[in-house]
Amino acid sequence: MLRYFLKRLGLALVTVGLIMTITFWAMNAVPGGPFEREKAPEPRVKAVLEARYGLDKPIGQQFVMYVGNVLRGDFGISLKTGREITTTILTGFKTSAKLGAMAIVVAVFFGLIFGMTAALFRNRFPDRLIIFLTTFFVSVPSFVLATLLLLVFSITLGWIPVWSATDRHMLLPVIALALYPMSYITRLTKSNLLDILGQDYIRTARAKGVAGWLIVVKHALRNALIPVITYLGPLTAYILTGSLVVETVFTLGGLGREFITAILQRDYPLIMGTTIFLSVIMIGMTLLSDLIYKIVDPRITFS
Amino acid sequence: MTDKNMQDKPFKKSPFSMQMDLSKFELASDSEKAQQDVMRESTTFFRDGIRRLSKNYLAMGSLIVLALIVLLITIAPVFVPYGYEEVIRVDGKRDRSLINLKPFTWSEKEQEAIDQGEKLFPHIMGTDDLGRDYFIRVLYGTRVSLIVGLFASLIVLIIGLLYGSISGYLGGKVDLFMMRIVDMIYSLPDMLIVILLAVVLEDALKERIAGTILAKVGVNMITLFIVFGLLYWVSMARLVRGQILSIKENEFVLAAKASGASTGRIIKKHILPNCISVIFISTALQVPSAIFTESYLSFVQLGVKVPMPSLGSLANAARNGLQSFPFKLVFPSVMIGLIVLSFNLLGDGLRDSFDPKLRK
């Protein structure tokens, strides 16, 4: 168990290191620096600026400096706003985390309920409706869904204000983010539940007279939950990347929007900081979901 | 002496002898012979799969929808007299009322021209904010999205197939090393890296390829292909390797080896036919995900760039003035949805009819 955990942790750390290297070298491969856009400053001013941000040192040295700073939790200063990147990331992340957490809860909760319904009403109307809808939601990109929701509910129907500072404002973004993973979880739960309901131990439970709903909740659902746990890692990744566009569409000041703005403005330190931050979260969630999976399912052996 | 004895003795059959006693057999009658006739033509794996597929209405429907879309984007541009980056002019003059037209409406000057007996091609989907025909832009956007999807899947297939089959067939330390690399790329958060690479490659390549043939393809397209080639082949490589590893252990491969077949022949005749359907299905399912990624990148303005339209960038552009011109969002969105849905359903259908494990 411990050995498995350490091995996974090691792989995760290697991945984070790889990401830091990729981001750093990639950003340096781009022709043109941050001070060469629009109005280029005088050479002397530029030299001072570059010296201030350490851009005049050899690239290898810059990288070592950067890694050292990151390990101390210091991502540097944004080249555009002059603010500390750690502050920017943390402020943005508050909104994104709230949005993401709500979307995950919604996706898992409704995914399980719909999946259960579809499995229990197999080949009848509820099943067909649910499968039709989920197939539809899986085929529409999140940004299209987000814009369509905005169009229908905020603009045409006027139910939810486009601009508002309250939590009601989060409703549409959460739906836009959650629909795809919800559909995925629905299909996953349905196929697993159908598989499990055909097992011998379910027949045993039936034979000894356990009530129908109790069989589903106590015997079948527990086992159907296991694959959903493994999906939590990819789910987080999806929610985080999805929030990049959803936040842009709904103009929420989250981390996703910061990232897109940083890329469009070529704000190197902010791009690298955000990428590393988001990557660590994604990798951490994958690690966590794999670990929970191994703990929850006693049939899995550690190797 | 013994020889002579054996010759003289009448032949005595051992009870376990395979030699047949002909007197116990009789000739088959004609009706019995008829029973041996093959009533139905023998079918091949491929033909059987096609037969199953043709019974799957959803998959066939998707195939028809896709064929119609392909037909539309190849033929329609010949008939529509507008270019995708052409700002429409009436009698050589720009027309202010021509921008943001609703579907099947005319601008003031166009209306005048029509009243004078001129024949104009209708704006089937209206016009955009610069006065370009939206129908032709959506068609070209679909073209771009489909081409990117197909080519990207092809790149993924080629790299994944080569890497996976080498790794799987060689096995041992080479396999271990090659799979470690795959593991590392696999654990990267792909979308973030894709976005990052799209930014970087675009800027880095712009100057390098200027003036070459590649410049004609467009730097953004090449960037997209490279990004796909760099990141998305890993799952294909894993799939191929897993298939080859499990098939390699089968008895028929051992039999082929025992009868002296060369490595090339074993791969070509015994291993590939057994995993080709799984690989093909996964490629078909790769197309919609590539289209997804492309439109996502175009939506955040990192994919195909102006004036070349893509479904994603059209949807992004439609966000301005969403209130007044919602149709501009609806058309590209419906197109993306239709293509992705069709490919998904087709892929599922292919899997049901061609995957040996799912066949009954």
Side-chain angles (χ1 to χ4, degrees):
Chain A
M1 171 76 200
L2 190 70
R3 245 191 94 196
Y4 172 80
F5 175 73
L6 287 178
K7 204 177 139 197
R8 287 300 311 267
L9 195 67
L11 185 70
L13 287 178
V14 170
T15 313
V16 174
L18 192 68
I19 289 162
M20 270 161 68
T21 322
I22 292 175
T23 18
F24 187 83
W25 293 105
M27 280 302 137
N28 279 286
V30 180
F35 306 119
E36 285 168 20
R37 315 206 106 214
E38 292 129 33
K39 270 198 269 173
E42 270 180 62
R44 261 190 14 217
V45 180
K46 202 180 138 193
V48 173
L49 278 171
E50 283 189 340
R52 184 170 162 212
Y53 292 112
L55 291 175
D56 54 345
K57 300 212 172 62
I59 278 183
Q61 205 179 329
Q62 282 185 43
F63 182 61
V64 174
M65 264 169 58
Y66 186 74
V67 172
N69 285 337
V70 167
L71 290 182
R72 268 182 267 122
D74 177 14
F75 287 105
I77 295 164
S78 161
L79 294 178
K80 292 288 164 186
T81 58
R83 282 170 67 200
E84 270 203 36
I85 287 169
T86 318
T87 336
T88 313
I89 288 178
L90 289 180
T91 338
F93 187 62
K94 255 185 217 158
T95 316
S96 296
K98 208 161 130 194
L99 179 68
M102 283 200 273
I104 289 178
V105 171
V106 168
V108 172
F109 183 73
F110 286 101
L112 283 177
I113 287 187
F114 288 147
M116 241 160 70
T117 318
L120 293 179
F121 290 89
R122 192 185 181 187
N123 287 335
R124 277 187 280 165
F125 177 70
D127 176 32
R128 285 176 201 277
L129 182 72
I130 286 171
I131 293 307
F132 173 78
L133 285 179
T134 49
T135 314
F136 174 74
F137 290 139
V138 166
S139 301
V140 184
S142 55
F143 60 86
V144 169
L145 218 53
T147 328
L148 285 178
L149 283 174
L150 190 71
L151 177 66
V152 173
F153 290 104
S154 294
I155 296 175
T156 313
L157 295 174
W159 288 352
I160 296 153
V162 184
W163 309 94
S164 108
T166 58
D167 277 354
R168 232 177 116 202
H169 188 198
M170 287 276 203
L171 187 62
L172 288 183
V174 166
I175 294 175
L177 264 182
L179 278 179
Y180 179 93
M182 185 201 80
S183 307
Y184 191 89
I185 293 176
T186 303
R187 294 162 140 233
L188 200 67
T189 314
K190 184 200 163 188
S191 65
N192 280 316
L193 217 51
L194 283 180
D195 201 32
I196 289 163
L197 287 176
Q199 300 271 329
D200 284 344
Y201 63 87
I202 297 293
R203 199 175 304 141
T204 312
R206 278 232 170 91
K208 70 176 188 184
V210 181
W213 64 272
L214 211 61
I215 292 178
V216 175
V217 174
K218 240 189 154 174
H219 295 263
L221 196 62
R222 277 194 190 184
N223 283 304
L225 268 175
I226 292 170
V228 177
I229 292 172
T230 45
Y231 180 60
L232 280 180
L235 172 66
T236 322
Y238 174 84
I239 295 270
L240 284 179
T241 45
S243 69
L244 301 191
V245 286
V246 170
E247 279 171 20
T248 313
V249 171
F250 290 100
T251 50
L252 287 171
L255 194 52
R257 238 181 105 206
E258 295 286 358
F259 187 55
I260 299 291
T261 323
I263 280 183
L264 294 180
Q265 293 183 335
R266 303 293 195 264
D267 192 342
Y268 300 173
L270 189 52
I271 294 174
M272 287 158 69
T274 321
T275 307
I276 293 169
F277 185 78
L278 288 177
S279 303
V280 168
I281 293 175
M282 288 184 198
I283 293 167
M285 276 305 280
T286 315
L287 187 67
L288 195 69
S289 74
D290 277 7
L291 279 180
I292 297 177
Y293 174 59
K294 303 251 160 172
I295 294 168
V296 167
D297 193 346
R299 287 168 299 184
I300 308 270
T301 48
F302 297 98
S303 59
Chain B
M1 180 67 181
T2 45
D3 279 16
K4 210 184 171 200
N5 254 354
M6 273 183 87
Q7 272 169 10
D8 285 349
K9 258 188 178 172
F11 180 74
K12 196 178 173 232
K13 246 185 94 186
S14 126
F16 299 109
S17 164
M18 292 295 282
Q19 213 159 22
M20 285 181 287
D21 185 0
L22 284 178
S23 63
K24 282 185 181 163
F25 291 83
E26 56 181 89
L27 282 173
S29 67
D30 282 347
S31 69
E32 279 167 340
K33 275 181 187 163
Q35 282 177 6
Q36 296 298 313
D37 279 351
V38 180
M39 305 293 280
R40 198 156 51 150
E41 221 178 303
S42 71
T43 182
T44 59
F45 175 75
F46 181 71
R47 234 186 278 159
D48 187 40
I50 294 287
R51 192 180 55 83
R52 284 158 188 270
L53 188 66
S54 61
K55 279 188 187 161
N56 186 336
Y57 297 119
L58 269 179
M60 287 318 277
S62 328
L63 202 61
I64 292 169
V65 168
L66 285 176
L68 284 180
I69 290 177
V70 170
L71 211 65
L72 191 69
I73 58 174
T74 39
I75 291 181
V78 181
F79 292 106
V80 181
Y82 309 113
Y84 69 88
E85 49 177 334
E86 177 198 344
V87 177
I88 300 168
R89 287 155 193 270
V90 186
D91 296 331
K93 271 174 260 162
R94 281 206 63 177
D95 188 349
R96 286 228 157 186
S97 62
L98 194 67
I99 59 170
N100 288 327
L101 282 181
K102 291 217 164 76
F104 285 109
T105 51
W106 303 102
S107 72
E108 290 161 15
K109 280 190 183 149
E110 277 178 328
Q111 195 60 51
E112 280 172 28
I114 290 168
D115 289 342
Q116 284 164 13
E118 228 177 293
K119 276 207 169 168
L120 289 172
F121 198 83
H123 304 296
I124 296 174
M125 295 184 184
T127 54
D128 72 354
D129 54 352
L130 289 176
R132 296 174 291 197
D133 187 65
Y134 204 58
F135 178 57
I136 198 78
R137 283 186 71 73
V138 171
L139 286 189
Y140 268 88
T142 315
R143 219 185 228 197
V144 169
S145 294
L146 268 182
I147 289 175
V148 170
L150 289 174
F151 267 89
S153 312
L154 206 63
I155 292 172
V156 167
L157 174 68
I158 292 170
I159 300 178
L161 196 62
L162 282 177
Y163 196 96
S165 48
I166 291 172
S167 175
Y169 199 82
L170 291 181
K173 274 187 185 158
V174 183
D175 179 41
L176 199 71
F177 178 73
M178 286 174 91
M179 280 302 124
R180 272 289 131 80
I181 296 177
V182 166
D183 284 346
M184 254 152 64
I185 299 180
Y186 195 79
S187 57
L188 291 176
D190 48 359
M191 212 53 185
L192 289 176
I193 305 294
V194 163
I195 292 176
L196 199 71
L197 286 179
V199 181
V200 173
L201 283 174
E202 197 192 306
D203 286 0
L205 284 178
K206 209 179 277 168
E207 288 164 16
R208 301 253 165 87
I209 65 161
T212 59
I213 307 169
L214 287 177
K216 275 190 187 153
V217 187
V219 76
N220 299 294
M221 285 276 215
I222 296 171
T223 309
L224 282 175
F225 293 148
I226 293 178
V227 166
F228 275 103
L230 279 178
L231 278 175
Y232 285 104
W233 57 273
V234 282
S235 37
M236 182 62 84
R238 272 189 170 179
L239 179 84
V240 173
R241 173 183 169 267
Q243 286 284 320
I244 285 185
L245 272 186
S246 67
I247 293 167
K248 190 169 84 160
E249 298 302 321
N250 276 319
E251 273 90 0
F252 62 83
V253 176
L254 192 67
K257 255 185 208 158
S259 52
S262 66
T263 310
R265 192 185 155 81
I266 291 177
I267 292 182
K268 217 167 69 190
K269 286 270 173 189
H270 298 282
I271 293 182
L272 273 186
N274 272 297
C275 57
I276 201 80
S277 54
V278 178
I279 292 166
F280 183 65
I281 294 158
S282 141
T283 310
L285 287 172
Q286 181 80 50
V287 176
S289 93
I291 291 176
F292 244 69
T293 313
E294 182 276 322
S295 56
Y296 183 98
L297 286 180
S298 295
F299 188 80
V300 296
Q301 297 163 41
L302 285 173
V304 180
K305 283 239 170 79
V306 285
M308 182 60 98
S310 120
L311 292 177
S313 59
L314 287 175
N316 184 37
R319 288 198 298 126
N320 300 323
L322 187 63
Q323 203 154 359
S324 323
F325 322 108
F327 65 90
K328 285 207 282 180
L329 172 72
V330 173
F331 289 129
S333 311
V334 166
M335 211 56 158
I336 299 178
L338 212 56
I339 293 174
V340 173
L341 187 64
S342 301
F343 268 110
N344 277 335
L345 290 176
L346 183 63
D348 285 348
L350 282 174
R351 183 173 17 217
D352 289 345
S353 27
F354 280 100
D355 193 334
K357 277 180 205 139
L358 289 176
R359 286 157 57 117
K360 275 171 204 147

